[in-house]
Amino acid sequence: MNIKKAVFVISNKNVKGCPAPSMPEFAFIGRSNVGKSSLINCLVGQAGLAKTSAKPGKTQLINHFLINDNWYLVDLPGYGYARTSKTTRAGFADIINEYIGGRSNLICLFVLIDSRLEPQKIDLHFIRWLGSNEIPFALVFTKTDKLKPARINENIETYKAELLKEWAQMPPYFLSSAEDGTGREEILNYIDVASKTF
Ligand code: GTP
Ligand code: MG
């Protein structure tokens, strides 16, 4: 898919203020600092569209971007950042639950996982919650430029083994790097096909 146009639309604290759910939507979630905003910028080919930071906790609202005038990309706050206050953290959890659980036009939630790490409890727990709430999702293993391919493959095999303890099959998954563009075409093609189901 060609990205001809990508514009920021609105930031919201809750679902009420989000654009009318009249177009297909794809959102990005995962632990703080995993690379959600960077991946969005990589997908649309605009470095500064979604705000990124080396410090975790940068994205704090639900951010809608309108792509090619006919679908939305959504940048969400990260979960699991220990340094934010308890109240802020609970606020994020509310935002995330309300948005994910209640957004009728959400075609697929991309759950970003740091490809360098062992399976993390918080991610596995979140994925289980998605399953029990029947939220359609795909996994994206991020920052693959930071490790040798053999290590990445090893880590992904470990992840698969972990998920297959609970799931009958692997959900769709992608390898990505916002640095070198790995996975960009595959993710955009997936979105292209999936958005036709709307
Ligand atoms: P929050 O908004 O805080 O939840 O973080 P986020 O998940 O949106 O992460 P963000 O995109 O802001 O990236 C966090 C840091 O990781 C930044 O310093 C990015 O430059 C870096 N980063 C993100 N993706 C990649 C990647 O694919 N490769 C490399 N090497 N660095 C990356
Ligand atoms: Mg962010």
Side-chain angles (χ1 to χ4, degrees), residues 46-62:
Q46 281 186 40
L49 189 65
K51 300 277 177 296
T52 65
S53 168
K55 280 196 233 140
K58 179 70 180 173
T59 310
Q60 307 218 346
L61 296 166
I62 304 169

Side-chain angles (χ1 to χ4, degrees), residues 33 35-38 50-53 57-60 63 75-78:
N33 210 46
K36 301 173 291 295
S37 304
S38 303
K51 300 277 177 296
T52 65
S53 168
K58 179 70 180 173
T59 310
Q60 307 218 346
N63 299 288
D75 194 12
L76 294 169

Side-chain angles (χ1 to χ4, degrees), residues 9-10 12 15-22 25 64-65 72 103 105:
V9 181
I10 193 169
N12 278 288
V15 179
K16 259 188 266 136
C18 289
S22 55
E25 185 156 306
H64 273 79
F65 301 94
Y72 291 112
R103 190 73 179 156
N105 60 332

Side-chain angles (χ1 to χ4, degrees), residues 29-44:
I29 188 89
R31 292 166 72 222
S32 277
N33 210 46
V34 69
K36 301 173 291 295
S37 304
S38 303
L39 180 61
I40 287 176
N41 291 337
C42 167
L43 292 177
V44 302

